[in-house]
Structure formats: C-alpha cells, structure tokens
C-alpha cells in the first residue's frame, strides 16, 4: 500500500507498528532546496532525492509519479496536470515566500495542501532597513561612489547621527515591528501606523493615521502588503506631507510608492534620500536589463529585491517548510497551508488517526458520521475545517475499528483523499 489517496501513511505516534514505513515515503526536492531541509527529512528516515535544478515539464510529469512530497522554489510551475500526474502526492512545499507558481485551487481540489515560508526572512529585511537608515543619514552611497571614482569629498553637511531621530513605520506586522525594536536599540523614537490594532513593542507609539506618521517622522519605512488599499499609497500628496529633508525607505512591494513622485521629491530636495528594494516591475532574471526613474538620483540606495536574501533566511526557509511538511506527514496538521483548511490536533498515543479531505457539499458530514456510527467507532477527538471547495477532517479513533472507518470514508463519493496514521 502507498500513502496516496485512500491509503496509509507513517506516523510519529510512539513505538507501535506504523501504518506505513517511513523509509518508503519519497521526498523529491528540486531547485537546490537548502540542506537544512534535506537533513530534517533524512532524520525522519524518509527517502530524499534532492536535485540542484528545476526539471523540464515532461521530466517532472514522470518523476512526480513516485513522489509523496514535492519541494520546489520559485522556478518550477506546478500546474493542474503536474498535480494530477502525482498520483501519490500528499503535499507540495514551496521553499520560498511566493506561491504563484502553484495552481493552488487545483491542489486544493485534489486534497493537496501547499506550504510556504512567509516569515523566515523577516529579520533579514529588518536588518537591511536598519543598515539603510544609517547609510542614508550619512550619505554613504554617494560617498562610496565618489571614492570609487577617485573623488575625495570629505563633508559633514547634511550628515547626521540617527540617535534621537524619529522613525515612522507604516505596516507594523512581522517586519515592521522588528524594525521598531532594532531602531529603538539605536536610540531612535519610533512611531507606527497600521490599519489593524497592534500591540506596540518597547516604547513604540501608534499613530492615528498615515498623514500623522508621515508628518512626524524623519525616516518613513514601508512594510505593508500589496493590496488595493496600499496600491500607490505613497504618491505626491503623501510625500508632500513628509518633513522637508526626511527619508523614505521601501522594501515592501513595488506598487506601494509612485516612483515618479519620489524621483521629483528627491530632485527638489524635499526628500533627502531614499532606499528602494522593490519596484512596480522587476526583471525575472538576473541577466535582464533594469531601468528606473530613480537611477542617478542623489543619496538614493537602489537594491534588486534582496531584503530577504541572506544565508540565514535560506536556512530558516528550509527549516520552516520542512517542519510544516513533516507535521503534515506525521500528524496530518495543515496549519500554515496557503490553500487548505487549517486543522491541527495534538497526537493522541492511544488512538489511530484518520484524515479525510472531501468535497464540501451538502450532506457530506451526515454521510461521514453515518459511516463512523455504522461501524460503532468511538471517536476520541475530531476536528473539521472547510473552505469553499473542500473540507478537511482529522479524527482520532479507537484502534480496533480505525482501518474499517478509513476504508468506509475512502469509499464515499465525496471523499478526495483519506489516510490513516498510527
Ligand atoms: P505582515 O503581514 O506581517 O505585516 C503587514 C502589516 O501591514 C500588517 O500588520 C497589516 O495590518 C499592515 N497593513 C496592511 N494594509 C495596511 C495599510 N493600508 N496601512 C497600514 N498598514 C497596513 O507582513 P510582513 O511579513 O511584515 O511583510 C511586509 C511586506 O514586506 C510585504 O509586502 C512583503 O511582501 C514584503 N517583503 C519584502 C521582502 C524583500 O525582500 N524586500 C522580503 C519579505 C517580505
């Protein structure tokens, strides 16, 4: 038996015989997934095949047939066809932040949760922002470029310490709040604005509105997601509200700032410097040419979307996604899945666990409950969550009937995938 649809899988429920030998679970990792993940899967005794590159579609269609877990980064396109070809596929791990490369709806419909690593590079972005606040305040980019070109321009005019200055953070989420903590360590006063009510860390002060934070800050740093509300959120009117001689930093998303308005403000001197890591349009490949209205502006640090690009972040991504996948294989937990109802139950050593993904249609729960009660199965614990398309159920049962329950659920016409764990 294989751990695919209506079959068994391995578990970490103690030393009893397992429902499916761990060493038969095949993990296929593409695109040079970090070694930290490879080691975690190997420690679980799964079979790991780790390839350095992505695979051409026709090779992938063949190779995926034997895989229970597929790990990718941003280059591999996971279409509905690929998912269908993965007849044993339990889950897909995106060892990156974005998940656009996966047909998430198709994966959902086939009972395949997709995991990613949204927060593993938070610290890396926060550190880059701290570095840039100081670099802008000291005009480091310009001085460095001059010395490289053989110009010795030793000046102190327009250069400042950041201690005692005010930093305004727009979007006080994972990254924004980290930036605030680090900036306070430098002796900055920190304000923030968020559309949600947030617990202020340290001595950070919440601001009523975006105009409020813009008017009061010496440095404004943006850490919002790309939404309709944040689209071109910082345009000419907002920049005009900023203090004369203040600085703007954007390492969030390229659509948040109107770059033409920023270029104009840098040119006029209203904004004394800017650090930009993200752009409305970014090259897909390192080899592509890049043009921006900000190129050549004074005291302007331009970086190619590298805010989260560090060795530590890569390792953390490897660990974060591998942890989610291992928890899903061993316990059926879908917490953090981007396309799937989130369900997590602590392991219950005295039971067998049945996992069932089913189409979310009227009457499905009645049929599931009837199948369970017809077998006189005693449910120890049960958790169900649904989305528009599917439902996902974890059920812990007495050991003697669990196999029959699994088989009965797997036979329901509404069932998509059913597994048993012990
Ligand atoms: P998060 O979701 O933890 O925080 C975003 C915060 O923005 C939330 O608190 C949210 O309530 C707030 N927000 C949403 N709309 C807002 C609005 N209109 N006004 C004020 N606040 C608003 O996200 P996280 O992880 O902190 O990431 C922030 C941004 O950084 C995202 O856009 C992400 O794509 C980007 N990012 C950039 C990287 C880079 O390499 N430059 C790497 C990682 C993330």
């Amino acid at each position: 038996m294989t751990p695919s649809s209506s079959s068994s899988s391995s578990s970490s429920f103690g030393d009893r015989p397992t429902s499916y030998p761990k060493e038969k679970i095949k993990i296929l990792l593409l695109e040079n997934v970090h070694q930290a993940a490879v080691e975690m899967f190997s420690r679980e005794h799964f079979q790991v095949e780790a390839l350095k590159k992505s695979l051409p579609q026709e090779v992938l269609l063949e190779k995926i047939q034997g895989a229970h877990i597929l790990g990718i980064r941003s280059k591999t396109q996971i279409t509905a066809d690929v998912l269908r070809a993965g007849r044993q596929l339990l889950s897909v791990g995106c060892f990156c932040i974005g998940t656009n490369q996966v047909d998430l709806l198709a994966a959902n419909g086939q009972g395949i949760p997709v995991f990613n690593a949204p927060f593993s590079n938070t610290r890396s972005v926060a550190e880059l922002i701290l570095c840039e606040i100081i670099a802008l305040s000291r005009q480091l980019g310009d001085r460095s470029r001059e010395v490289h070109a053989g110009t010795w321009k030793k000046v102190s005019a327009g250069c400042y310490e950041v201690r005692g200055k005010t930093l305004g953070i727009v979007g006080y989420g994972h990254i924004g709040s980290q930036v605030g903590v680090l900036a306070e360590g430098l002796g900055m006063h920190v304000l923030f604005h968020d559309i949600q009510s947030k617990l202020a860390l340290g001595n950070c002060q919440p601001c009523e509105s975006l105009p409020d934070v813009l008017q009061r800050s010496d440095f404004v740093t943006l850490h919002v997601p790309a939404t309709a509300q944040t689209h071109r959120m910082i345009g000419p009117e907002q920049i005009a509200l900023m203090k004369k001689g203040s600085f703007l930093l954007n390492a969030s998303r390229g659509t948040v700032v109107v770059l033409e308005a920023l270029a104009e403000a840098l040119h006029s001197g209203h904004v004394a410097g800017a650090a930009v890591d993200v752009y409305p349009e970014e090259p897909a490949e390192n080899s592509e040419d890049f043009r921006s209205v900000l190129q050549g502006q004074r005291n302007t640090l331009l970086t190619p979307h590298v805010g989260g690009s560090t060795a530590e972040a890569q390792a953390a991504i490897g660990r974060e996604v591998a942890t989610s996948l291992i928890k899903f294989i061993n316990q059926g937990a879908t917490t953090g899945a981007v396309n799937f109802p989130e369900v997590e139950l602590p392991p219950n050593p005295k039971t067998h666990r049945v996992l069932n993904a089913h189409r979310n249609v009227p009457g499905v729960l009645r049929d599931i409950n009837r199948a369970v009660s017809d077998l006189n199965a005693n449910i120890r614990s049960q958790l169900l969550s649904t989305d528009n398309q599917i439902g996902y159920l974890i059920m812990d049962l007495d050991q003697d009937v669990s196999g029959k329950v699994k088989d009965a659920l797997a036979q329901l016409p509404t069932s998509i995938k059913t597994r048993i764990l012990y």
Side-chain angles (χ1 to χ4, degrees):
M1 231 194 302
T2 62
S4 59
S5 176
S6 75
S7 62
S8 306
S9 185
S10 78
S11 81
S12 57
F13 286 25
D15 295 332
R16 292 173 286 128
T18 53
S19 48
Y20 189 77
K22 286 192 165 202
E23 58 278 10
K24 287 195 175 171
I25 291 188
K26 293 186 184 149
I27 316 275
L28 174 62
L29 302 176
L30 308 180
E31 301 186 61
N32 204 16
V33 163
H34 198 276
Q35 190 60 23
V38 177
E39 285 164 15
M40 285 175 70
F41 291 127
S42 301
R43 275 200 297 277
E44 288 287 318
H45 305 292
F46 301 145
Q47 277 182 48
V48 188
E49 183 177 3
L51 305 179
K52 295 264 177 242
K53 297 240 154 79
S54 61
L55 293 172
Q57 193 83 350
E58 63 279 10
V59 183
L60 179 59
L61 282 168
E62 192 167 326
K63 204 125 177 91
I64 201 172
Q65 289 176 26
H68 298 114
I69 298 290
L70 177 66
I72 58 165
R73 292 172 67 190
S74 54
K75 290 206 168 66
T76 306
Q77 294 299 314
I78 305 296
T79 59
D81 284 348
V82 173
L83 293 165
R84 262 192 300 276
R87 285 194 292 274
Q88 311 198 75
L89 195 62
L90 296 176
S91 178
V92 174
C94 296
F95 287 80
C96 50
I97 315 298
T99 52
N100 294 344
Q101 68 280 37
V102 182
D103 186 335
L104 295 177
L105 198 61
N108 167 288
Q110 292 181 42
I112 297 171
V114 177
F115 297 94
N116 68 340
F119 308 123
S120 293
N121 57 11
T122 298
R123 172 74 188 207
S124 301
V125 181
E127 286 192 12
L128 180 73
I129 293 296
L130 255 286
C131 151
E132 290 177 334
I133 288 171
I134 299 175
L136 289 175
S137 205
R138 301 294 293 275
Q139 303 181 357
L140 277 197
D142 289 358
R143 289 302 88 76
S144 174
R145 197 171 49 240
E146 288 153 10
V147 175
H148 273 287
T151 303
W152 190 261
K153 187 175 158 190
K154 185 169 164 159
V155 292
S156 56
C159 297
Y160 306 96
E161 292 183 355
V162 299
R163 178 174 46 171
K165 305 295 183 301
T166 300
L167 172 66
I169 300 169
V170 182
Y172 195 67
H174 288 86
I175 297 173
S177 55
Q178 278 272 322
V179 168
V181 169
L182 296 176
E184 284 200 335
L186 285 171
M188 300 186 82
H189 304 299
V190 182
L191 308 173
F192 71 86
H193 166 64
D194 200 291
I195 48 167
Q196 286 178 14
S197 164
K198 295 276 175 170
L199 173 71
L201 302 179
N203 296 315
C204 286
Q205 297 287 320
C207 286
E208 283 290 300
S209 64
L210 179 62
D212 190 23
V213 78
L214 295 175
Q215 282 164 340
R216 291 167 59 190
S217 302
D218 301 304
F219 296 82
V220 173
T221 185
L222 309 173
H223 299 290
V224 291
T227 63
Q229 209 180 348
T230 63
H231 187 77
R232 294 166 77 84
M233 176 193 210
I234 305 293
E237 281 173 37
Q238 290 71 28
I239 291 174
L241 291 176
M242 290 172 64
K243 283 185 187 178
K244 182 165 169 46
S246 59
F247 302 87
L248 181 67
L249 299 95
N250 184 21
S252 62
R253 297 293 284 270
T255 49
V256 178
V257 178
V258 181
L259 291 189
E260 292 72 18
L262 176 58
E264 177 59 38
L266 284 162
H267 188 69
S268 72
H270 181 71
V271 170
V276 177
D277 189 43
V278 288
Y279 308 85
E281 278 157 30
E282 298 179 1
E285 301 284 341
N286 276 350
S287 54
E288 277 178 37
D289 195 29
F290 177 68
R291 294 273 158 250
S292 167
V293 286
L294 298 178
Q295 281 163 338
Q297 291 286 348
R298 191 181 39 83
N299 202 18
T300 301
L301 303 170
L302 302 181
T303 46
H305 204 146
V306 291
S309 303
T310 62
E312 288 85 351
Q314 287 306 314
I317 287 169
R319 286 192 297 269
E320 186 177 348
V321 180
T323 301
S324 299
L325 290 168
I326 289 168
K327 268 184 112 175
F328 177 66
I329 298 168
N330 288 344
Q331 297 172 24
T334 52
T335 308
V338 294
N339 68 331
F340 217 74
E342 294 190 59
V343 181
E344 180 159 355
L345 261 183
N348 185 346
K350 298 204 169 67
T351 63
H352 286 179
R353 175 165 290 186
V354 173
L355 314 167
N356 175 256
H358 50 261
R359 285 191 287 119
N360 186 11
V361 291
V364 63
L365 258 191
R366 181 198 57 214
D367 294 345
I368 288 173
N369 286 333
R370 184 179 297 151
V372 175
S373 66
D374 283 355
L375 289 161
N376 283 327
N378 184 26
I379 299 174
R380 298 290 187 93
S381 47
Q382 189 182 33
L383 211 53
L384 166 78
S385 180
T386 60
D387 61 23
N388 286 342
Q389 202 174 211
I390 66 166
Y392 180 56
L393 175 77
I394 299 186
M395 212 171 5
D396 287 341
L397 299 160
D398 284 347
Q399 299 171 8
D400 48 348
V401 287
S402 60
K404 286 182 185 151
V405 170
K406 193 250 328 179
D407 291 342
L409 294 191
Q411 275 159 27
L412 293 175
T414 44
S415 282
I416 302 168
K417 261 188 168 47
T418 309
R419 286 200 289 152
I420 186 167
L421 297 174
Y422 55 85

